[in-house]
């Protein structure tokens, strides 16, 4: 074994990069090739550029600051050109990588734990008039008013311990700031980027079904699909069932959408007819007490379904399950896990740069949102495989500190060795010292991908 191999073996046991370890585990190079991230001609390898974007997000550094402070960083144009490429299949990168991570945690599932798919949408405020994909009048539940924003429909995976981002689409309504035909880049009609543009004009339910189909086709396994009242329409639930997944949803109390077979057709009439003949159960959500009961009813399109009628004293909430074998209590406890996607959006905004893309070009927005979700998934996986899982915020700060400490420590260590090598007598006594410095420097950059200034 040569000197290079001895040094690399010794360093591998000490200099560990948790991000690179996970990417190696899921065979990210193969995933990149499958997603058309192929280096063509001159330039840097896509893997290295994506790794740098990961560091920017996890270390909470703006692109300009990362370039300025990191010795191994590329020029700013490298990063800008990369995220504007129309041939890269960002959707496939996110879906294949998340599927690979789910396969890694599959042995950790315990019997009786439900694996869930959750569909929801979030609104990201955007002020710029030239931001492509942005609309003027999108209702924000957070601000309780219509704002200028991107409307992102997403598909998540959740179990009792982790959440992963699987897919997303941007939905434009009639109040768009710029039409698709006015977007900056001119694209080939068969390019991956053009396909992402065309889907902006589809309905939310259509986008959701397409995302569900892609996830299941790629081998994602789940027992239930959770959706809120917006997506809870008979046709959507029927289509989801046809893909072999049961749906649990909260129903809109709308007699134009939901009518059942029999004498009592609407949700209100069903509730008033059944409330005195059914045994009521009691529960509490925070400080709000409620009563509930369940019943099996028949729908023209869906057949037999189970409804859970929950009353808080002021409001009537109705939940549906196409799996009629589970209890009303289990339906409610499972639906509560839909909150995982809301917490996921919060972590994406606060920790992984969602909504701070600093780009107006549509392709660049898709790339940056994907990178935010990709980084989220990697950190979520690291958290899952640890023996003592933390909140993502705690783990995020730990990783940020760990990566910077490794980079700075190695930089200082190499500077010390370089100073030693300049002492003539030392070099005469140990002729391999300069070679050792070169090997250490090369391996550190290979393992970390960058070097930080102290």
């Amino acid at each position: 074994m040569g000197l290079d191999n001895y040094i690399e073996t010794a360093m591998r046991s000490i200099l560990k990069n948790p991000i690179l370890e996970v990417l190696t585990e899921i065979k990210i190079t193969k995933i990149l090739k499958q997603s058309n991230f192929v280096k063509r001609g001159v330039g840097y390898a896509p893997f290295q550029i994506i790794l740098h974007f990961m560091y920017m997000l996890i270390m909470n550094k703006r692109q300009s600051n990362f370039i300025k402070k990191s010795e191994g960083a590329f020029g700013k144009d490298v990063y800008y050109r990369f995220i504007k490429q129309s041939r890269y299949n960002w959707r496939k990168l996110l879906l294949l990588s998340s599927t690979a991570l789910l396969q890694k945690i599959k042995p950790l599932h315990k019997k009786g734990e439900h694996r869930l798919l959750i569909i929801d949408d979030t609104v990201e405020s955007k002020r710029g008039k030239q931001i492509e994909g942005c609309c003027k009048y999108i209702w924000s539940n957070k601000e309780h008013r219509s704002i200028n924003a991107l409307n992102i429909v997403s598909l998540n995976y959740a179990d009792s311990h982790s959440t992963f981002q699987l897919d997303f689409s941007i939905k434009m309504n009639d109040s768009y700031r710029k039409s698709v035909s006015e977007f900056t880049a001119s694209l080939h009609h068969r390019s991956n980027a053009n396909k992402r543009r065309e889907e902006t004009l589809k309905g939310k339910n259509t986008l959701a079904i397409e995302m569900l189909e892609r996830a299941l086709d790629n081998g994602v396994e789940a027992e239930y699909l959770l959706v809120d009242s917006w997506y809870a329409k008979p046709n959507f639930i029927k289509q989801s069932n046809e893909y072999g997944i049961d749906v649990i949803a909260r129903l809109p109390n709308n007699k134009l959408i939901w009518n059942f077979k029999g004498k009592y057709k609407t949700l209100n009439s069903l509730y008033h007819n059944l409330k005195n003949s059914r045994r009521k159960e009691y529960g509490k959500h925070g400080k709000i007490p409620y009563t509930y009961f369940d019943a099996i009813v028949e729908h023209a399109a869906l057949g037999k379904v189970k409804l859970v009628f929950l009353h808080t004293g002021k409001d009537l909430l109705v939940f549906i399950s196409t799996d009629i074998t589970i209890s009303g209590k289990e339906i409610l406890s499972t639906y509560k896990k839909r909150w995982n996607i809301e917490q996921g959006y919060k972590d994406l905004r606060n920790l992984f740069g969602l909504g701070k893309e600093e780009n107006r070009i549509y392709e660049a927005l898709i790339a940056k949102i994907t990178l935010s979700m990709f980084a989220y998934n990697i950190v979520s996986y690291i958290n899952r495989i640890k023996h003592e899982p933390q909140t993502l915020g705690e783990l995020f700060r730990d990783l940020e500190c760990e990566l910077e400490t490794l980079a700075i420590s190695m930089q200082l260590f190499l500077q010390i060795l370089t100073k030693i090598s300049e002492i003539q007598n030392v070099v005469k006594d140990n002729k391999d010292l300069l070679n050792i410095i070169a090997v250490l420097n090369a391996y550190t950059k290979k393992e970390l991908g960058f070097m930080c200034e102290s």
Side-chain angles (χ1 to χ4, degrees):
M1 185 184 287
L3 176 64
D4 293 10
N5 292 330
Y6 277 117
I7 293 174
E8 188 167 325
T9 302
M11 290 184 70
R12 188 178 287 117
S13 63
I14 299 171
L15 185 62
K16 293 184 177 180
N17 181 349
I19 305 302
L20 198 57
E21 283 182 354
V22 175
L23 295 178
T24 304
E25 278 184 46
I26 64 173
K27 299 178 181 177
I28 188 63
T29 305
K30 180 180 177 181
I31 290 173
L32 287 171
K33 288 180 181 177
Q34 291 174 318
S35 307
N36 209 27
F37 286 79
V38 180
K39 180 182 175 182
R40 299 181 181 180
V42 296
Y44 299 101
F47 169 71
Q48 284 295 327
I49 303 174
I50 284 179
L51 189 61
H52 283 193
F53 274 115
M54 291 279 290
Y55 291 143
M56 291 178 208
L57 292 167
I58 292 174
M59 294 165 61
N60 198 23
K61 290 185 181 294
R62 294 169 68 95
Q63 186 172 299
S64 56
N65 195 36
F66 180 81
I67 294 170
K68 182 179 178 182
K69 297 288 185 181
S70 304
E71 185 182 308
F74 308 129
K76 65 178 182 178
D77 289 341
V78 173
Y79 302 109
Y80 287 129
R81 283 196 299 268
F82 183 76
I83 59 176
K84 290 190 291 183
Q85 280 287 352
S86 61
R87 70 174 185 268
Y88 295 156
N89 194 333
W90 290 98
R91 167 167 283 139
K92 201 167 185 180
L93 169 63
L94 182 62
L95 190 52
L96 289 179
S97 60
S98 55
T99 304
L101 292 171
L102 293 180
Q103 287 297 319
K104 291 287 182 183
I105 65 169
K106 190 175 180 180
L108 302 178
H109 287 299
K110 296 178 181 177
K111 189 176 180 181
E113 289 182 343
H114 292 317
R115 294 167 297 180
L116 310 170
L117 293 179
I118 308 172
I119 289 173
D120 201 2
D121 55 279
T122 186
V123 172
E124 295 302 322
S125 176
K126 295 289 181 184
R127 295 182 181 179
K129 294 181 180 180
Q130 299 301 316
I131 295 175
E132 297 167 356
C134 179
C135 298
K136 287 186 284 189
Y137 305 114
I138 296 182
W139 180 259
S140 169
N141 289 326
K142 182 180 178 181
E143 300 187 29
H144 303 290
R145 63 186 181 91
S146 294
I147 60 173
N148 301 329
L150 288 177
N151 193 5
I152 302 172
V153 183
S154 69
L155 174 68
N156 282 26
Y157 170 93
D159 55 25
S160 300
H161 308 282
S162 308
T163 303
F164 292 90
Q165 313 289 330
L166 300 181
D167 200 353
F168 74 93
S169 296
I170 292 177
K171 169 72 177 78
M172 287 171 57
N173 59 24
D174 293 335
S175 67
Y176 50 77
R177 290 258 174 147
K178 293 182 74 174
S179 67
V180 173
S181 60
E182 295 174 339
F183 283 5
T184 304
S186 178
L187 302 176
H188 191 277
H189 67 281
R190 293 176 62 185
S191 65
N192 291 309
N194 193 62
K195 292 174 185 175
R196 295 296 291 254
R197 288 184 179 186
E198 290 175 347
E199 71 183 14
T200 59
L201 302 178
K202 296 179 180 179
K204 285 185 185 180
N205 286 44
T206 303
L207 293 174
I209 286 293
E210 289 178 354
M211 286 191 285
L212 176 63
E213 182 181 5
R214 282 192 294 266
L216 296 177
D217 284 347
N218 276 274
V220 176
E221 298 176 357
E223 285 78 45
Y224 297 106
L225 171 67
L226 308 185
V227 295
D228 64 9
S229 57
W230 175 272
Y231 299 92
K233 298 177 177 67
N235 287 341
F236 177 85
I237 294 175
K238 183 180 179 181
Q239 284 181 280
S240 301
N241 285 160
E242 288 172 354
Y243 288 114
I245 187 167
D246 283 304
V247 177
I248 295 178
R250 178 182 165 186
L251 294 186
N253 195 352
N254 187 328
K255 61 184 179 182
L256 297 178
I257 298 175
W258 284 101
N259 278 290
F260 295 86
K261 284 187 173 182
K263 182 179 178 181
Y264 303 97
K265 297 180 181 297
T266 66
L267 293 174
N268 280 333
S269 61
L270 277 170
Y271 173 73
H272 289 297
N273 178 57
L274 296 170
K275 67 177 182 178
N276 294 323
S277 61
R278 301 291 166 138
R279 179 186 172 186
K280 292 187 177 67
E281 304 287 345
Y282 297 87
K284 202 169 187 180
H285 181 68
K287 295 182 179 180
I288 303 173
Y290 59 82
T291 60
Y292 69 93
F293 63 87
D294 59 76
I296 296 176
V297 298
E298 192 165 356
H299 188 269
L302 302 176
K304 289 185 177 180
V305 294
K306 180 168 280 191
L307 298 183
V308 180
F309 297 89
L310 183 151
H311 209 290
T312 63
K314 295 172 72 175
D315 300 311
L316 173 65
L317 307 178
V318 185
F319 301 88
I320 189 172
S321 170
T322 56
D323 180 2
I324 62 175
T325 64
I326 60 174
S327 66
K329 182 178 181 181
E330 194 171 358
I331 291 171
L332 294 178
S333 64
T334 302
Y335 186 79
K336 284 178 184 177
K337 293 175 183 175
R338 201 189 69 82
W339 177 253
N340 288 18
I341 199 170
E342 300 296 343
Q343 183 60 45
Y345 289 146
K346 183 178 179 181
D347 289 336
L348 279 166
R349 292 187 191 100
N350 295 340
L351 305 175
F352 298 95
L354 182 67
K356 303 173 185 175
E357 291 80 23
E358 298 180 327
N359 283 283
R360 64 177 178 82
I361 298 174
Y362 186 77
E363 290 70 42
L365 287 171
I366 291 290
K368 292 301 288 289
I369 294 170
T370 302
L371 288 166
S372 295
M373 292 185 173
F374 181 63
Y376 175 98
N377 289 345
I378 298 297
V379 175
S380 186
Y381 172 77
I382 293 171
N383 194 37
R384 178 63 181 273
I385 61 176
K386 283 180 174 287
H387 296 298
E388 296 181 1
Q390 311 168 62
T391 64
L392 278 192
E394 291 171 340
L395 180 60
F396 182 88
R397 286 185 285 273
D398 288 349
L399 286 173
E400 178 186 352
C401 182
E402 184 177 344
L403 288 171
E404 289 209 38
T405 301
L406 278 172
I408 293 170
S409 299
M410 288 306 300
Q411 181 100 338
L412 294 174
F413 176 58
L414 289 169
Q415 288 176 6
I416 292 169
L417 285 181
T418 304
K419 288 293 183 184
I420 293 173
S421 71
E422 292 172 358
I423 303 172
Q424 191 174 2
N425 292 334
V426 173
V427 175
K428 283 181 179 179
D429 293 339
N430 188 352
K431 295 180 181 180
D432 286 331
L433 184 56
L434 290 175
N435 189 27
I436 291 172
I437 294 171
V439 173
L440 287 171
N441 190 45
Y443 184 75
T444 301
K445 286 187 177 179
K446 174 186 172 185
E447 188 66 18
L448 295 182
F450 75 110
M451 295 286 278
C452 253
E453 291 182 8
S454 58

